[in-house]
Amino acid sequence: MEGKINKQLKKVLKKIVKEAHEPLAVADAKLGGVIKEKLNLSCIHSPLVNELMRGIRSQMDGLIPGVEPREMAAMCLGLAHSLSRYRLKFSADKVDTMIVQAISLLDDLDKELNNYIMRCREWYGWHFPELGKIISDNLTYCKCLQKVGDRKNYASATLAELLPEEVEAEVKAAAEISMGTEVSEEDICNILHLCTQVIEISEYRTQLYEYLQNRMMAIAPNVTVMVGELVGARLIAHAGSLLNLAKHAASTVQILGAEKALFRALKSRRDTPKYGLIYHASLVGQTSPKHKGKVSRMLAAKTVLAIRYDAFGEDSSSAMGVENRAKLEARLRTLEDRGIRKISGTGKALAKAEKYEHKSEVKTYDPSGDSTLPAYSKKRKIEQVDKEDEVVEKKAKKAKVKIKVEEEEEVVEVEEDVVEVVEEQETSVKKKKKKDKKKHIKEEPLSEEEPCTSTAIASPEKKKKKKKKRVNED
């Protein structure tokens, strides 16, 4: 099966080598290669050889005398079982199907316990509703019901084994003034029977959990160290077996259990999930939300190494898992400490905390904010300040002189314009007089036009005089 030559086979073949003139028919090609290398004996492997072997097995009774058919059948059956057991590498300690069944049963027990406890609380709540608020633990609640039963018995019952003194006193006080309805003895019997079922199932669950822990440490110790018993068992159950899980890549193990979310994200072209069943591992749970994706990716990579070591390795120790978990914890600490580092600079140096110094809360008055006037600096001298003031005054005088010169130029231009207007008006008046003489128009319209001309001529002269006065005054 392993392709190696046995001692007995080697002795037989050495005898054959001297007398053999034909090639040797071999059922296994690997074994034929080994024989050819070590003994220099040519071998043949083909479908015809397999048919020949089958014919020899069927005619074994005639070829080997003195062998009964029953003994040959028993020998063939035993050989077939031993070969198949050897090929499957059967081991009573390494049976991952036990883990698959145990974790499935554990999940079913959790569901049933939740349903039973909810039904028990609701059922007994009609009789004694205050007890459900006082006792929060489900197992303790069921044990109290099993021991006491009707609420009238709480006054005489002793619950010191189950409850502390304060809670016991509160339960007895609530039983006296309870608002629940009265129930019959038959109802109480059915409720107590349900309580016994809850207690038995919870005890069996603890026993099953211990069995699962022991089985996981025997089959996959490194995986147990990395992600815990429950998460490791769920990964094995989801993949079908430890060998199937070892064939998965790290990215597949990371999102194993989140297949619906993955395909939904691929269809809608959104972000794919970062974790599946591995989210419930302790290393992922103790990280901050922004680092959960990174830690789950690193944990999946190391977990795959541990799975393959457990599936194909001969050593059953958990040293590899402990070493990898220590590396992940160190990496996790560096990720968490990175947020405390300095933002400026290279960012490699850790932020240093300043030394604490006690500062008094008594505040002194600061008179520097009283004056709003601009204060010169001490370095500037008084002479420099005086020189600057003189320069400012000179600039102001020059600006005034420029303004006066511009005003005089404007006045001269105005006077020239006025003279031109007056001359034009005088010429127009003379032309009108000549036309009037030629046409021999009466004196009345002339007398009427004269004051108009006088007024037209007088007005610019007055304006001219007024403007000249203004110029003199300026």
Side-chain angles (χ1 to χ4, degrees):
M1 295 300 295
E2 293 180 355
K4 295 178 182 179
I5 302 174
N6 195 9
K7 290 182 179 180
Q8 296 177 354
L9 180 62
K10 201 171 185 180
K11 290 179 180 179
V12 173
L13 289 176
K14 281 181 179 180
K15 293 179 181 179
I16 293 173
V17 168
K18 297 176 182 179
E19 300 175 358
H21 299 288
E22 297 291 335
L24 181 67
V26 182
D28 189 11
K30 190 176 180 182
L31 181 62
V34 175
I35 292 171
K36 191 174 183 179
E37 287 179 2
K38 292 188 176 182
L39 300 174
N40 293 325
L41 185 64
S42 60
C43 299
I44 295 175
H45 174 71
S46 64
L48 294 174
V49 174
N50 292 331
E51 290 182 5
L52 182 61
M53 294 284 183
R54 191 178 300 111
I56 292 170
R57 282 198 298 271
S58 63
Q59 301 296 326
M60 187 72 72
D61 299 337
L63 294 173
I64 303 175
V67 178
E68 295 182 2
R70 292 182 180 179
E71 292 180 359
M72 286 299 300
M75 185 270 292
C76 291
L77 183 63
L79 180 62
H81 280 296
S82 62
L83 286 176
S84 60
R85 191 177 290 121
Y86 180 78
R87 181 172 286 180
L88 291 172
K89 295 182 180 178
F90 180 82
S91 175
D93 295 331
K94 286 198 172 187
V95 183
D96 46 8
T97 54
M98 301 298 171
I99 291 174
V100 175
Q101 299 298 330
I103 191 65
S104 301
L105 180 59
L106 195 68
D107 292 337
D108 293 339
L109 286 178
D110 288 334
K111 291 179 183 178
E112 292 299 324
L113 269 174
N114 287 330
N115 291 330
Y116 282 5
I117 289 165
M118 182 180 68
R119 182 66 56 204
C120 182
R121 281 179 175 273
E122 188 176 354
W123 198 352
Y124 192 73
W126 289 99
H127 179 58
F128 190 9
E130 292 83 4
L131 186 66
K133 296 179 181 179
I134 297 170
I135 302 173
S136 58
D137 186 32
N138 295 322
L139 189 59
T140 308
Y141 182 86
C142 292
K143 287 180 178 180
C144 287
L145 292 188
Q146 192 180 26
K147 189 172 184 179
V148 179
D150 197 349
R151 72 180 180 198
K152 296 177 182 178
N153 302 329
Y154 278 96
S156 59
T158 56
L159 302 173
E161 298 177 357
L162 303 173
L163 301 173
E165 295 180 359
E166 298 175 357
V167 179
E168 184 182 0
E170 189 177 357
V171 168
K172 289 181 178 180
E176 294 177 358
I177 57 171
S178 177
M179 298 293 291
T181 59
E182 296 292 336
V183 292
S184 62
E185 293 183 0
E186 188 176 0
D187 297 331
I188 294 293
C189 289
N190 287 317
I191 294 171
L192 294 179
H193 184 66
L194 180 60
C195 290
T196 54
Q197 292 290 323
V198 170
I199 293 167
E200 289 176 0
I201 292 173
S202 60
E203 289 176 354
Y204 176 63
R205 188 197 175 280
T206 56
Q207 180 183 352
L208 184 66
Y209 182 70
E210 292 177 358
Y211 165 76
L212 184 64
Q213 280 182 327
N214 297 330
R215 184 59 67 185
M216 279 294 294
M217 285 303 296
I219 295 175
N222 295 289
V223 179
T224 307
V225 171
M226 291 297 297
V227 295
E229 300 88 6
L230 293 177
V231 179
R234 286 194 175 95
L235 288 173
I236 293 171
H238 198 82
S241 66
L242 187 63
L243 293 175
N244 291 340
L245 185 63
K247 295 174 185 177
H248 289 316
S251 57
T252 309
V253 172
Q254 182 181 349
I255 59 169
L256 208 63
E259 285 83 6
K260 287 185 179 179
L262 175 65
F263 294 128
R264 194 188 307 121
L266 292 174
K267 283 183 181 179
S268 59
R269 294 183 181 179
R270 295 181 180 176
D271 294 335
T272 54
K274 295 179 181 178
Y275 25 65
L277 291 170
I278 208 168
Y279 179 80
H280 301 286
S282 60
L283 280 173
V284 180
Q286 67 189 9
T287 57
S288 57
K290 63 179 180 179
H291 296 313
K292 282 186 186 293
K294 282 185 178 181
V295 174
S296 63
R297 186 177 69 248
M298 294 186 291
L299 181 61
K302 296 296 183 184
T303 304
V304 166
L305 293 177
I307 290 165
R308 291 169 183 170
Y309 187 81
D310 290 332
F312 305 112
E314 297 178 356
D315 191 8
S316 61
S317 65
S318 61
M320 179 196 174
V322 173
E323 184 180 356
N324 288 333
R325 187 179 176 87
K327 289 180 182 178
L328 284 177
E329 289 175 351
R331 176 66 176 156
L332 178 60
R333 283 194 294 272
T334 56
L335 284 175
E336 295 293 337
D337 293 342
R338 190 175 292 176
I340 310 172
R341 294 180 184 275
K342 290 182 179 179
I343 298 171
S344 61
T346 58
K348 293 181 180 179
L350 289 170
K352 295 180 180 178
E354 296 180 356
K355 188 178 179 181
Y356 175 74
E357 294 180 0
H358 178 69
K359 296 178 181 179
S360 62
E361 296 181 357
V362 179
K363 296 182 179 179
T364 57
Y365 180 72
D366 187 12
S368 62
D370 293 345
S371 177
T372 57
L373 297 174
Y376 294 105
S377 62
K378 295 180 180 180
K379 293 182 180 180
R380 294 178 65 187
K381 296 181 181 179
I382 298 171
E383 294 177 359
Q384 293 177 354
V385 175
D386 295 336
K387 287 179 181 179
E388 288 177 0
D389 294 336
E390 290 176 3
V391 171
V392 172
E393 289 176 1
K394 288 179 180 180
K395 288 182 180 178
K397 287 179 181 179
K398 287 181 181 179
K400 288 180 181 178
V401 171
K402 286 181 180 179
I403 292 168
K404 287 181 180 180
V405 172
E406 290 175 356
E407 287 178 355
E408 289 176 359
E409 289 176 356
E410 289 176 359
V411 170
V412 172
E413 290 176 359
V414 170
E415 288 177 356
E416 290 176 357
D417 295 333
V418 170
V419 171
E420 290 176 358
V421 171
V422 171
E423 288 175 355
E424 288 176 0
Q425 288 180 354
E426 287 177 354
T427 54
S428 63
V429 170
K430 288 179 180 179
K431 288 179 181 179
K432 285 181 181 180
K433 284 181 179 181
K434 288 180 181 180
K435 289 180 182 179
D436 292 337
K437 286 179 182 181
K438 288 180 181 179
K439 292 179 181 180
H440 302 284
I441 301 172
K442 294 180 180 181
E443 293 179 359
E444 291 179 359
L446 290 170
S447 61
E448 291 175 0
E449 289 178 356
E450 286 176 1
C452 295
T453 55
S454 64
T455 55
I457 295 165
S459 61
E461 290 177 358
K462 288 179 181 179
K463 289 179 181 179
K464 187 175 180 181
K465 288 179 182 179
K466 288 179 181 179
K467 288 182 178 180
K468 283 182 180 180
K469 287 180 181 179
R470 289 177 183 174
V471 171
N472 293 328
E473 288 175 1
D474 292 335

